[in-house]
């Protein structure tokens, strides 16, 4: 199977203070513990079924993990049970615990009583069927599995997509590597597909290369040297690692996600709005920059805020507003209130004209922004941690209509002052991180890893680390 890469334009798989500085508190471990009771009833047949299932664990990207040491021929019931519960838990809830891998992870997780399921499977005499039922059953997971199995074994030498022969490709120069470079530039959203023609660096390609170089902190000279190739290249091992990590992330998730929800893919900086099980809207977002990452949260929207004010967090006040005089405060509609800097309502407010209030302990929420130009960026990791929504007013109107509060929303906006509109039902929001998406043909496609979060999962899965190229944090506005 041919694995390609693609840019953010494709669909992602899917209040105390008004700040967005992430509070690094460790989320509670939601993983259901492997149960203590030892199911009885192992037979030669069920033991062989277990060994066969574990031997095929590569279909789940788990071939670098060992589950079968205690399930070898001749193993006793206790050893077989231990292996079955370990492997079943990995399929049902993930082989790793995201709450231990990340300072913050509160996305609802899968909850399965693996030991009880094992007992039932032994009673039915079909361990293989039970284990197969534990992994995600959706098409995307199946496509990832197929793609992973199709890649060459990682023990074999993994060639680069674009060989680095030590010679930089200069603007206007012809080179047999250019078609592959152009394809990767298209995949990363820097180049239109129609402009990816020929074996010479064209003006359109050069402009795309310069944009990419600027995003990653490389001198924007339009040449393809070792640094630029490092960003664009993906070896078979890189592809396998990304696919296995994304399968693991899918195993973490609750299998019964709410039919009405909002998913934000932080890696792709895109929002997907699901209503009654159907995708009804997708749009760009701006998320936390690489040193102020937006955390992976499960946190519902409970109200819309028209004409919001913004209470500046202490961290932003001290780092970015210290020493600012009265003229700066007046120009930005800021005033002191009860010892805090507060930005008043208006189109220049850092929250824009609407805030989507969410329930969490990290002061993270969705909102509008006056910095509309950031939505034109390719790498949209540019905020202090909150999520800025493209055409946020239009999105708020959509939610208000769907929730039956359009009149209240229009009235709130007309006041010109901060006004709250409570939603009849909270709308669940999941802030996820997926670096493998799917194109229109259903092919898995590899995206960049802007926060460098893939490595810690890959290492835990036994896949090792890789060279990570992260976008460079650039001067962002003071907004959340």
């Amino acid at each position: 199977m041919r694995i390609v890469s693609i840019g953010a334009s494709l669909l992602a798989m899917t209040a105390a203070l008004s700040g967005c500085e992430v509070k690094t508190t460790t989320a509670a471990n939601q993983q259901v513990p492997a149960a203590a009771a030892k199911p009885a009833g192992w037979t030669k047949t069920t033991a062989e079924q277990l060994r066969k299932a574990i031997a095929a664990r590569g279909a789940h990207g788990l071939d670098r993990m060992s589950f079968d040491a205690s399930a070898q021929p001749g193993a006793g019931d206790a050893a077989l049970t231990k292996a079955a519960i370990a492997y079943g838990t990995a399929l049902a809830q993930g082989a790793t615990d995201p709450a231990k891998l990340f300072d913050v992870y509160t996305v609802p997780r899968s909850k399965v009583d693996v030991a009880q399921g094992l007992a039932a499977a032994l009673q039915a005499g079909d361990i293989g069927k039970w284990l197969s039922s534990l992994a995600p059953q959706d098409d995307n997971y199946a496509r990832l599995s197929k793609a992973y199995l199709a890649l060459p074994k990682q023990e074999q030498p993994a060639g680069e997509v674009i060989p680095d022969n030590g010679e930089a490709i200069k603007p206007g120069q012809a080179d047999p590597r250019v078609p592959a470079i152009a394809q990767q530039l298209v995949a990363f959203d820097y180049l239109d597909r129609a402009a990816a023609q020929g074996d010479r660096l064209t003006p359109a390609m050069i402009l795309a290369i310069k944009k990419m170089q600027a995003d990653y902190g490389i001198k924007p000279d339009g040449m393809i040297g070792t640094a630029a190739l490092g960003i664009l290249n993906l070896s078979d091992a890189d592809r396998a690692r990304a696919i296995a990590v994304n399968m693991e992330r899918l195993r973490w998730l609750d299998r019964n996600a709410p039919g009405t929800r909002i998913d934000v893919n932080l890696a792709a900086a895109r929002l997907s709005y699901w209503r009654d099980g159907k995708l009804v809207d997708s749009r760009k977002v701006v998320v936390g920059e690489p040193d102020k990452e937006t955390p992976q949260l499960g946190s519902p929207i409970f109200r819309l805020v028209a004409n919001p004010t913004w209470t500046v967090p202490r961290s932003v006040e001290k780092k970015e507003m210290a020493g600012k005089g009265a003229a700066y405060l007046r120009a930005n509609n800021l005033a002191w209130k009860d010892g805090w800097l507060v930005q008043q309502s208006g189109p220049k407010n850092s929250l824009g004209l609407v805030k989507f209030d969410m329930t969490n302990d990290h002061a993270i929420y969705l909102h509008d922004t006056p910095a509309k130009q950031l939505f034109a960026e390719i790498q949209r990791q540019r905020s202090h941690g909150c999520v800025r929504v493209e055409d946020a007013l239009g999105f708020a109107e959509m939610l208000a209509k769907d929730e039956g509060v359009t009149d209240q929303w229009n009235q709130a906006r007309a006041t010109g002052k901060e006004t709250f509109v409570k939603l009849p039902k909270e709308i669940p929001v999941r802030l996820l991180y997926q670096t493998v998406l799917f194109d229109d043909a259903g092919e898995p496609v590899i995206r960049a890893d802007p926060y460098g979060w893939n490595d810690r999962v890959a290492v835990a899965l036994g896949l090792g680390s890789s060279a990570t190229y992260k976008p460079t944090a650039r001067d962002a506005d003071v907004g959340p």
Side-chain angles (χ1 to χ4, degrees):
M1 173 175 289
R2 179 177 61 89
I3 311 299
V4 295
S5 305
I6 201 155
S9 63
L10 292 181
L11 209 57
M13 288 190 310
T14 217
L17 298 178
S18 301
C20 281
E21 296 293 303
V22 179
K23 303 175 184 178
T24 56
T25 56
T26 301
N29 183 356
Q30 299 178 3
Q31 182 167 331
V32 178
K38 181 185 75 172
W42 284 101
T43 66
K44 183 177 180 180
T45 298
T46 53
E48 181 58 30
Q49 290 171 352
L50 175 61
R51 285 190 286 271
K52 183 177 179 180
I54 292 177
R57 63 191 181 278
H60 303 282
L62 296 172
D63 44 320
R64 292 302 185 92
M65 302 193 76
S66 176
F67 300 95
D68 57 355
S70 56
Q72 296 301 318
D77 281 10
L80 292 169
T81 296
K82 179 181 178 181
I85 287 180
Y87 187 50
T89 300
L91 294 179
Q93 301 163 334
T96 61
D97 182 355
K100 294 179 179 179
L101 293 175
F102 300 95
D103 290 333
V104 179
Y105 190 96
T106 67
V107 179
R109 296 189 58 197
S110 173
K111 296 180 180 180
V112 178
D113 190 332
V114 176
Q116 184 180 34
L118 174 58
L122 286 171
Q123 186 70 29
D126 197 338
I127 296 298
K129 181 178 180 182
W130 166 66
L131 287 171
S132 295
S133 72
L134 296 177
Q137 302 297 306
D138 60 281
D139 290 341
N140 285 346
Y141 189 86
R143 289 165 180 154
L144 289 175
S145 174
K146 182 179 179 182
Y148 185 84
L149 292 174
L151 287 167
K153 295 294 184 183
Q154 295 182 48
E155 290 83 4
Q156 297 176 359
E160 295 178 330
V161 175
I162 311 166
D164 184 1
N165 59 15
E167 297 181 6
I169 308 173
K170 300 177 181 179
Q173 181 179 342
D175 191 286
R177 296 172 290 173
V178 168
I181 290 169
Q183 182 181 1
Q184 289 297 91
L185 289 169
V186 171
F188 278 49
D189 257 10
Y190 286 103
L191 183 68
D192 289 335
R193 188 170 299 279
Q197 305 293 329
D199 63 353
R200 188 179 301 275
L201 289 186
T202 64
M205 294 179 192
I206 295 165
L207 180 60
I209 293 166
K210 288 181 177 180
K211 287 181 179 179
M212 182 191 73
Q213 289 171 324
D215 280 346
Y216 284 87
I218 302 171
K219 180 182 177 181
D221 56 14
M223 295 194 297
I224 293 290
T226 297
L229 284 176
I231 298 168
L232 294 172
N233 261 324
L234 286 174
S235 68
D236 288 332
D238 293 330
R239 288 174 159 80
R241 189 180 295 110
I243 291 171
V245 165
N246 280 264
M247 279 196 280
E248 175 73 352
R249 286 195 170 108
L250 290 180
R251 289 191 292 267
W252 291 341
L253 298 179
D254 184 359
R255 304 293 191 269
N256 299 307
T260 296
R261 68 182 186 279
I262 295 168
D263 287 342
V264 177
N265 186 341
L266 305 176
R270 288 197 72 88
L271 174 154
S272 301
Y273 173 38
W274 298 80
R275 193 82 189 178
D276 298 327
K278 296 181 179 180
L279 180 64
V280 295
D281 186 70
S282 175
R283 58 188 65 213
K284 296 177 182 178
V285 295
V286 172
V287 299
E289 58 186 7
D291 60 346
K292 300 179 179 67
E293 296 95 341
T294 303
Q296 298 165 92
L297 298 180
S299 175
I301 294 173
F302 68 96
R303 68 183 179 185
L304 305 177
V305 184
N307 314 303
T309 61
W310 179 44
T311 301
V312 180
R314 292 294 191 205
S315 57
V316 176
E317 174 195 327
K318 293 176 181 178
K319 293 178 183 177
E320 303 180 37
M321 296 187 179
K324 300 293 185 181
Y328 174 86
L329 298 184
R330 285 194 301 271
N332 290 278
N333 208 15
L334 289 159
W336 290 98
K337 182 179 180 180
D338 300 326
W340 293 88
L341 268 179
V342 179
Q343 190 175 41
Q344 303 306 306
S345 301
K348 293 184 179 180
N349 185 282
S350 293
L351 303 184
L353 296 175
V354 57
K355 175 186 175 185
F356 305 83
D357 249 341
M358 296 165 61
T359 305
N360 61 75
D361 296 329
H362 309 282
I364 295 294
Y365 47 82
L366 277 60
H367 65 93
D368 186 19
T369 177
K372 311 294 186 187
Q373 72 279 4
L374 294 182
F375 295 112
E377 297 286 338
I378 306 301
Q379 302 293 341
R380 294 188 295 279
Q381 288 74 29
R382 297 289 301 275
S383 80
H384 280 79
C386 280
V387 180
R388 308 178 186 186
V389 181
E390 184 180 37
D391 185 21
L393 275 179
F395 190 54
E397 291 170 2
M398 182 183 300
L399 296 185
K401 179 181 178 181
D402 290 346
E403 293 297 319
V405 293
T406 296
D407 290 343
Q408 297 94 311
W409 173 244
N410 289 337
Q411 292 168 10
R413 283 210 60 206
T415 66
K417 301 178 181 179
E418 185 173 63
T419 309
F420 306 97
V421 177
K422 186 176 180 179
L423 298 178
K425 288 184 179 180
E426 293 183 344
I427 301 176
V429 178
R430 303 189 303 178
L431 305 183
L432 308 172
Y433 193 81
Q434 292 286 354
T435 61
V436 180
L437 312 181
F438 295 88
D439 63 17
D440 293 338
E443 287 287 314
V445 294
I446 314 296
R447 271 200 57 79
D449 178 14
Y451 290 165
W453 280 354
N454 277 357
D455 263 3
R456 64 187 73 178
V457 184
V459 169
L461 294 176
L463 294 165
S465 60
S466 63
T468 300
Y469 296 86
K470 297 194 295 184
T472 303
R474 290 191 275 173
D475 292 336
D477 54 67
V478 297

